[in-house]
Amino acid sequence: MSKKHITTRINGEDVEFLAEPGASLLAALRDELGLTGSKEGCNNGNCGACNVVFDGALVNACCVLAVEANGVEITTIEGVANGEELHPLQTSFLENAALQCGICTPGFIVAAKALLDKEPDADEARIRHWLAGNLCRCTGYDKIVRAVLDAAADMRRTPA
Amino acid sequence: MTDKPNYRVIGTRPVRPDGIDKVTGRAQYGADTRLPGMLRGYVLRSPHAHAKIRGIDTSKAEALPGVKAVMTAADFCAPGQTVDQLPDLSANLMAGTKALYRGHAVAAVAAITDEIARDAAALIEVNYEVLPPVLDVREAMLPGAPILHEAMRSRTPTGPGENPSNIVAHTLSAFGDADAALAECDVVVDIVTSTKMVHQGYIEPQAATATWNPDGQVVIWTCTQGSFPARQNCSQILGHPISKIKVIPTEIGGGFGGKIAVYLEPVAAVLARKTGKPVKLTMDRSDVFEGTGPTPGTSIRATLGATKDGKFKALKADMAYENGAYPGAAATYATMVAAACYDIEHVKIDAFDVVVNKPRTQDYRAPSSPAAAFAIEQLVDKAAEKLGMDPLKLRLANSSHEGSRGPMGMPFSRIGHAECVEAALDSPHYNAPLEGPNRGRGVASGFWFNVGLRSSVNVTVQPDGTVSLVEGSTDIGGTRASLAMQLAETIGVEYEDVKPAVVDTDAVGYNDVTAGSRVTFASGMAVVEAGRNLIKEMTARLATAWNVPADAISFSNGVFSTADGSKTGTFKQIAENVVGRGPGLTVSGSVNAGFLQGGGFAHHIVDVEVDPDTGKVQILRYTAVQDVGTAVHPSYVEGQLQGGAAQGIGWALNEEYYYDETGRMVNAGYLDYRIPTTLDVPMIDTILVEVPNPLHPYGVRGAGEPPIVPPLAAIANAVYRATGQRQTQLPMSPRRILETTGKLG
Amino acid sequence: MFIPAMMRSMTGGAAQVPASGATVRAVIEDLVRQHPGLAGRVVDENGVRPELFIAVGSEEIFNLDQAVAEGAEVHLLAAIAGG
Ligand code: FES
Ligand code: FES
């Protein structure tokens, strides 16, 4: 089967690439485009390590076909910081020690950002519910949930 | 509590040095390695749990366009060696004569794309003669069970067995006379438990990339817990000198004991040799479940006897641990930890290591201890009930202490089990009433001895007066930070002035694995030694510069000064102005911290609510107490306690390898092998007890392992209080709860 | 002298056996004299076997020439790491 030419926008930049018809968006990001910040934990939608924002919606990149990215706007973990300036969620994860091994961290930060962008007042129950698709095996989630709560409070104080 | 020295850096909570790379997606993990011209590999695995391999035909796979090489176990053989002679280490990576579990690797392909490699693997024809599998540890011990290894004879206390057996070893650990003592006890309680195989569940699957140059130089990038042991194992499997293998550790996405053994590394190396190109291999999640090493399922019978005033007199246990497909020592480990929390005069433990047609087991955080505690900590709970005593006070009355005999016969040095139980007694959680129907509170203790082993670090003074710290132990949970903090404390500089890095096997002295809770402890000792060496060397140079004898210069609180105080300088000033003018300055610190750290104890309290209709157990409140010696970076220590507790909660309530009768794991994915999510655990409170470890200059104890030990029993004890039914089998899934508490609802 | 479980087939099943000597090395030599099955399994020409470690009382020792007091407990222990 022949590859398809895809035009998309990733982290604010126009990007073109050739996609295998059966390849996932995750494989395209990681293998074709060198954006290895999105991680593969399961490749079937169960861990959230591959979370990206896809035309405003949070998706598991492993469950989206690369060819579906045509004409779409995508944000990956590499696009969360504003240049040299970390996003409040990134700062909060660091200050709260919300990562141990860090493999789940990109997915959590992308997912939490997608939540807080829409629901800046999310409380602990809402955050836990929203993040239930993201697995972390190291932290027991305590410090992750606190980091998101802290970042939300911070973002409410200084709206972007 | 004990007077705590006034530390400047230790006990603070700085941001970790590798943090920014990890929150921005820049950090490079195992699967992120990309090399020019790199091929992708794929491993073909046995669909059968037990089968003879009569032959493997790879010709169709080799003929597929885009395929560059195919390998089988024969490629691990030395000249003249046949596949039936391969040692277990190699045979587990590539089955030669027999596939011993479903998921056992049988061949591997390198091709220009991942898809072609997969397609080619499907073209490999393996001629299997399917054999009946044995999957249950007690069944495997019976005469007439299908035999995994015809040549294997049991090791027993009276010498080797005569006939082939699946029992690797019968280990007897006995002090005093448990049978006679039990007969005299006023209160005797017993229990029979069983637990299922569970997986470490690290989120990052195994991945390895290798190059093999024509001159025999091999480079391997891998997400390992130990680059030096990985190099050693690759050298053995490949029959290739250590000096020609360089292992570059990538960032590692969790391990918990599961990333000590090599799986893909030697396979990638062979494929790289055959193709002359870099080859990358990655596992998918089902490969991780089926093809790597989980922790054993167990079957335990135990009896505890006490006097009527609550003194434990005797403990007797019979413990069988699955080793998976190849011999291990999980049950032998269990004899060294099972009775550690208590001072009991008469102990007799018969332990059986047993092979079954499941993946070869590996360590998982405090290996063998959680399943043993599941039995013994429930016995303590039963005894407390019979004696009418508070379960914490009963534990306190029987606690191991400095000088009491440990489970290996050796007396304990300064340990903190009693302090943990006292802290639990004083905790807000234990003193808060728990009200409402179907609710219960449980407690349990846990032990892991924590190892020291060998570590080496290098410290180099930089021109601007900062220092770089080069270490060889991979950093899974923030050890770059905890080591940099110990160096900053020792040499009196700011944490920010220490720049730590984990380097490859050619760049630093020997380091054992990141396991056994040892890095902050033992590499910390190496760091302190390097720091002291650095101060000594700087003092010598300063003596020349200041033209005073070296012994006239003292160093404290980060300041060098002469006895009369006429000349002084901070570390940074001296490093910049004196060292900076001379030849470069690098010192090293190397230690063998031995095997024992003195012991780490934990105590957990949990409140549960059991839904009488669905059988679902919800964790309402959780507190983890642990003696951590000295908490270097308290946030990361708390994180170890919280993470370990969450893993224990998963083990207790949901996780298990679920097999059909053919030996197929039917839940080899995260959807059906359910690890805890944000909705399954509450905030986990921690109480850090600090009984300084006399074996470490700053009193550090390893913190990573003990927290997975208590949860299984603590939750079982809580469920008992909530329902009146003892839970003797794991996991306590909704179905199991409904089965055992049929009367609820 | 305390013998680890996995080596007790060499001491007739005994977990604890008497041995004498002024140093750890001498105590081990005496042990091996009594139980020749242990020859080469505790120490070899390069020192303590890597799968074992030795403690006197509650202290792990690294130097075989360390003195052992009358009545002291010497422990031979199996090495193990963890996850
Ligand atoms: S890798 Fe996509 S959800 Fe796990
Ligand atoms: S920090 Fe390791 S999986 Fe989350």
Side-chain angles (χ1 to χ4, degrees), chain B residues 64-101:
Chain B
L64 189 72
V67 171
K68 299 295 177 187
V70 180
M71 76 163 288
T72 64
D75 291 289
F76 283 152
C77 292
Q81 193 182 33
T82 50
V83 288
D84 55 314
Q85 297 165 336
L86 285 174
D88 294 352
L89 186 67
S90 306
N92 187 39
L93 266 54
M94 211 42 90
T97 51
K98 232 181 167 194
L100 290 170
Y101 53 96

Side-chain angles (χ1 to χ4, degrees), chain B residues 546-601:
Chain B
W546 283 351
N547 197 20
V548 296
D551 56 13
I553 300 173
S554 64
F555 177 78
S556 74
N557 293 325
V559 178
F560 292 91
S561 54
T562 51
D564 58 7
S566 61
K567 292 187 168 151
T568 65
T570 64
F571 180 95
K572 216 171 168 177
Q573 287 166 341
I574 303 304
E576 205 175 334
N577 301 332
V578 178
V579 177
R581 286 190 202 172
L585 177 54
T586 297
V587 299
S588 59
S590 296
V591 298
N592 178 357
F595 281 96
L596 293 187
Q597 289 187 24
F601 290 86

Side-chain angles (χ1 to χ4, degrees), chain B residues 56 79 100 115 148 158 181 195 207 209 211 225 238 268 397 414 441 461 561 580 658 702 729 745:
Chain B
I56 303 179
L100 290 170
E115 292 70 33
L148 272 74
T158 51
T195 68
T209 308
T211 59
Q225 279 179 255
L238 298 169
R414 184 79 177 93
R441 175 169 295 160
V461 178
S561 54
Y658 196 92
Q729 293 180 40

Side-chain angles (χ1 to χ4, degrees), chain B residues 288-300:
Chain B
V288 173
F289 278 116
E290 295 191 320
T292 68
T295 203
T298 67
S299 165
I300 296 175

Side-chain angles (χ1 to χ4, degrees), chain A residues 61-96:
Chain A
C62 67
C63 295
V64 174
L65 288 173
V67 292
E68 293 178 76
N70 205 23
V72 166
E73 174 113 31
I74 294 170
T75 306
T76 70
I77 183 66
E78 288 90 347
V80 170
N82 183 5
E84 282 308 290
E85 197 187 327
L86 293 182
H87 187 275
L89 273 162
Q90 293 171 314
T91 312
S92 182
F93 267 62
L94 291 176
E95 285 172 355
N96 281 281

Side-chain angles (χ1 to χ4, degrees), chain B residues 194-205:
Chain B
S194 78
T195 68
K196 294 284 172 41
M197 185 171 263
V198 299
H199 199 271
Q200 299 86 358
Y202 37 79
I203 305 295
E204 178 200 33

Side-chain angles (χ1 to χ4, degrees), chain A residues 30-31 36-37 39-41 46 77 90 94 97 99-103 128 131-132 137-143 146, chain B residues 16 23 25 29 31-32 34 199-200 205 252 254 285 364 476 635-636 638-639 642-643 655 676-678 681 684:
Chain A
R30 291 178 50 83
D31 296 340
T36 56
K39 301 301 179 192
E40 178 187 318
N46 294 321
I77 183 66
Q90 293 171 314
L94 291 176
L99 54 146
Q100 282 176 35
C101 79
I103 194 84
R128 282 191 181 270
L131 295 177
R137 191 58 156 174
C138 301
T139 64
Y141 303 107
D142 182 302
K143 293 187 190 304
R146 287 179 205 277
Chain B
R16 60 199 276 172
V23 298
Y29 290 82
D32 300 339
R34 287 155 53 96
H199 199 271
Q200 299 86 358
I252 170 173
R285 183 53 51 182
Y364 176 19
I476 310 184
S635 297
Y636 286 105
E638 292 159 7
Q642 292 164 336
E655 296 178 32
T677 70
T678 44
V681 290
I684 295 168

